[in-house]
Amino acid sequence: MAMPTFKIDRRFLLIMLIAASILNYADRQIIAILKPMLQEDLNWTDADYGHLAAMFQLSAAVAYLFVGWFIDRVGLKFANPFAVGSWSLAAMAHAFAHTVGQFTLARIALGATEALGTPVGIKTIATAFEAKSRSMAIGILNAAGNLGAVITPLFVPFLAAAVGWRHTFSIVGGLGLVWVAVWFLTGAWNAAALNAPEPEKAVAPAKVKWSEVLKDRATWAIMGAKALFDQVWWFLLFWTPDLLHRVFGLSIKEFAVPLAVIYLMAASGSLITGAIVGRLIASGWSVNRARKTVMLVCALLVVPVPLVLYVDNYWLAVGLLGMTLAAHQGFSVNVFGIITDVIPAKRVGTITSLGALAGNLAGMGVLQLAGILLTNGTGYMPLFLMASCAYLLALLWIHLWLPVLRLANP
């Protein structure tokens, strides 16, 4: 019997990337949502949780040294399903953990495999979409990750209450294996080459010279900026549920909707900034002016975030946190856009990976610091003060290394 054929276009490919991004964020966020349940069941301390989160970041950071190069060398056909399949198996492994040490091993495996997600997604978009539509595509992909962060707190607490936290890890992780099957059954990777002058070459492996990577000013611009601002995302991703529980007294079920609102706002930041930058460029603005102007606005929106600790109504805190993460995503969309603008397509996976390496190292540090500060009673204020200025410093860093953004040759 002949296999069914599918009409594959870039919209379907983008849907597949969206689904992968949702699964990526769901798999990593489950532990944050279930923290109160796991802490009670397994007798964790805040320091234990901070260590688990930091080890996730460390493993991802180490993996980022290699995964971008791996993706560029393997090509899009196999890199995408390898990424989703491997992190799904790592997520399912959490169901078999009984001790902090076993959870740590599962988190290390998940961090290392989820490191594939962002580089392969950005490389696929850089290959499949022309310059004028990349910002919107990246915005949609970034928003998809936030959609995962919206969906997860809405159903995971109730799923865990119904089937237990172990089966929850197994069920959510198993969805990624379904994604892998769909990828191969539909031949989704073919859409990446539809508009390429050399279709076969577009999805084929590419050789990347480290000498070219390290001498490129854009490499250091991206790595430094990601180190400065990505730590805010990781801090809020892992500690916002605890903040709502600790500061405002919300239970695991009560903070589900507030978390969903926060990440829905974050998703809107991706979509809005992606659309705005595309329109500004279409109206005649240079890429340099459009991206940096929008990034400055995003950076300024983060400045008030320490006020979260001074408001009495938790919905005001939700609004501030949502605005912060919306600004983060808007800023992040443009950093990824800069990568696709100024980096040749064959090196996009490598540079994206190195940027994520820097961001995860910074994230690892701030997660460990959060656990220490909260254990010794210092509180959240130093962490929010760091967050408030991170994006302005990141934009300054990019401008010093790349005063003018110039489009790269393919």
Side-chain angles (χ1 to χ4, degrees), residues 91-342:
M92 296 171 72
H94 288 70
F96 303 97
H98 293 272
T99 66
V100 172
Q102 291 169 349
F103 260 95
T104 300
L105 291 175
R107 294 312 285 177
I108 289 172
L110 185 64
T113 51
E114 284 203 342
L116 292 153
T118 299
V120 76
I122 298 300
K123 182 177 177 66
T124 304
I125 286 176
T127 303
F129 293 84
E130 63 274 14
K132 65 181 181 180
S133 57
R134 281 178 195 153
S135 288
M136 193 63 216
I138 293 172
I140 292 171
L141 184 61
N142 247 25
N146 288 276
L147 184 58
V150 170
I151 294 171
T152 305
L154 289 179
F155 83 90
V156 162
F158 303 98
L159 181 62
V163 302
W165 61 264
R166 295 186 186 278
H167 289 308
T168 300
F169 277 108
S170 297
I171 291 169
V172 178
L175 294 174
L177 303 182
V178 176
W179 187 99
V180 172
V182 173
W183 176 269
F184 282 117
L185 286 173
T186 60
W189 64 87
N190 290 315
L194 288 178
N195 294 322
E198 300 177 81
E200 293 184 3
K201 186 176 179 181
V203 297
K207 293 183 178 180
V208 177
K209 295 181 180 179
W210 282 103
S211 59
E212 294 178 349
V213 171
L214 295 177
K215 72 180 182 182
D216 192 340
R217 292 178 65 87
T219 300
W220 303 105
I222 297 302
M223 289 184 69
K226 292 283 281 183
L228 287 165
F229 79 88
D230 259 9
Q231 47 92 9
V232 179
W233 174 261
W234 292 115
F235 161 54
L236 292 179
L237 180 69
F238 280 97
W239 285 97
T240 293
D242 180 77
L243 181 145
L244 294 174
H245 175 67
R246 184 192 301 260
V247 177
F248 297 100
L250 302 186
S251 70
I252 188 173
K253 291 184 178 180
E254 289 172 334
F255 63 55
V257 172
L259 279 179
V261 171
I262 289 170
Y263 288 106
L264 190 60
M265 292 177 68
S268 70
S270 291
L271 296 173
I272 291 169
T273 53
I276 288 174
V277 170
R279 291 198 175 196
L280 290 175
I281 294 173
S283 69
W285 284 40
S286 68
V287 170
N288 184 74
R289 182 186 177 195
R291 293 208 183 279
K292 290 180 180 177
T293 299
V294 172
M295 291 168 77
L296 176 60
V297 173
C298 291
L300 292 173
L301 289 174
V302 178
V303 173
V305 70
L307 295 177
V308 164
L309 301 177
Y310 291 97
V311 298
D312 295 325
N313 187 312
Y314 72 84
W315 281 111
L316 293 176
V318 166
L320 285 166
L321 292 169
M323 182 175 70
T324 296
L325 290 187
H328 168 91
Q329 291 295 70
F331 198 94
S332 184
V333 162
N334 281 282
V335 171
F336 287 134
I338 288 172
I339 293 174
T340 63
D341 290 337
V342 305

Side-chain angles (χ1 to χ4, degrees), residues 362-381:
M364 179 189 69
V366 79
L367 290 172
Q368 193 76 63
L369 177 62
I372 294 170
L373 292 176
L374 292 169
T375 297
N376 67 25
T378 301
Y380 280 108
M381 181 53 74

Side-chain angles (χ1 to χ4, degrees), residues 48-78:
D48 289 331
Y49 179 71
H51 179 69
L52 280 171
M55 291 307 295
F56 174 90
Q57 297 302 116
L58 176 61
S59 64
V62 173
Y64 277 128
L65 287 169
F66 311 102
V67 296
W69 176 87
F70 171 81
I71 290 164
D72 288 331
R73 289 297 301 241
V74 170
L76 298 180
K77 178 179 178 179
F78 294 106

